[in-house]
């Protein structure tokens, strides 16, 4: 019977708002998890950028994003990616009978400096939550000695 009471009290504590005493008694490693929902909406998409010789290939994982919500821009050597995201999570607790529906939305944005790209040679596609961008390179003039006359 004591175990049942302890379990009930623990579940009540989990659902209750944190007090200053709760925060001060937690190990520092718990703070990362506590603030994860806030940080998850900021700039939490990952990219891979690959040099393929004559072009660059960029892959960006963008969960919860729709194609029409993506804004891609190349200006003065900076590739900017911005997107609205919407995520939904349904959790059912059989023990209490509650159905919790959590959702979040926000904006992803990243900027990458790549200055040897042909602005007219950029192709982008979006499929299954992954943005793929191909950026054709322009040939840079090599620096050499200039004869002074």
């Amino acid at each position: 019977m004591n175990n049942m009471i302890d379990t009930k009290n623990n579940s009540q504590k989990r659902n209750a708002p944190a007090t200053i005493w709760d925060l001060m008694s937690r190990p520092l490693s718990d703070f990362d998890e506590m603030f994860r929902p806030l940080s998850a909406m900021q700039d939490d998409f990952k990219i891979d950028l690959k040099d393929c010789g004559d072009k660059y290939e960029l892959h960006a994982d963008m969960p919860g994003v729709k194609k029409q919500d993506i804004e891609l821009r190349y200006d003065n050597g900076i590739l900017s990616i911005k997107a609205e995201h919407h995520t939904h999570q349904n959790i059912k607790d059989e023990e209490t009978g509650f159905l919790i529906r959590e959702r979040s939305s926000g904006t992803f944005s990243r900027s990458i400096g790549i200055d040897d790209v042909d602005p007219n040679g950029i192709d982008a596609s979006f499929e299954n939550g992954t943005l793929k961008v191909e950026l054709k390179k322009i040939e840079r003039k090599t620096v050499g000695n200039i004869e002074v006359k």
Side-chain angles (χ1 to χ4, degrees):
M1 184 150 182
N2 283 344
N3 286 342
M4 289 174 53
I5 292 171
D6 289 342
T7 304
K8 185 177 179 183
N9 287 339
N10 285 339
S11 68
Q12 287 174 346
K13 286 181 184 176
R14 259 190 313 230
N15 295 328
T19 66
I20 189 69
W21 304 114
D22 294 331
L23 296 174
M24 298 306 275
S25 65
R26 284 186 165 174
L28 289 176
S29 61
D30 287 351
F31 280 92
D32 184 43
E33 280 300 312
M34 187 174 74
F35 293 110
R36 179 170 294 292
L38 297 174
S39 64
M41 293 189 295
Q42 292 172 2
D43 61 354
D44 208 20
F45 72 91
K46 307 300 180 211
I47 63 166
D48 297 322
L49 182 62
K50 181 179 179 182
D51 188 341
C52 299
D54 63 336
K55 66 179 177 180
Y56 294 104
E57 258 186 33
L58 180 132
H59 292 250
D61 295 331
M62 305 179 86
V65 172
K66 295 179 183 171
K67 181 180 171 181
Q68 62 268 22
D69 293 334
I70 299 172
E71 181 183 317
L72 189 63
R73 183 177 178 86
Y74 184 77
D75 190 25
N76 290 323
I78 305 291
L79 177 69
S80 299
I81 306 166
K82 183 178 176 182
E84 295 288 324
H85 70 94
H86 310 281
T87 57
H88 302 280
Q89 180 181 19
N90 294 321
I91 302 168
K92 187 172 183 178
D93 186 348
E94 298 288 335
E95 205 172 287
T96 61
F98 284 104
L99 177 64
I100 302 169
R101 183 174 180 206
E102 296 181 340
R103 55 207 163 271
S104 66
S105 61
T107 303
F108 290 140
S109 70
R110 296 284 300 264
S111 293
I112 304 123
I114 313 172
D115 62 355
D116 59 341
V117 170
D118 177 3
N120 298 318
I122 301 174
D123 293 315
S125 61
F126 185 73
E127 188 175 336
N128 297 325
T130 301
L131 175 67
K132 180 181 176 184
V133 183
E134 290 186 2
L135 305 120
K136 293 181 185 172
K137 292 182 180 181
I138 55 172
E139 191 173 325
R140 286 185 164 186
K141 308 251 186 216
T142 57
V143 177
N145 293 333
I146 301 169
E147 182 181 338
V148 179
K149 297 180 186 180

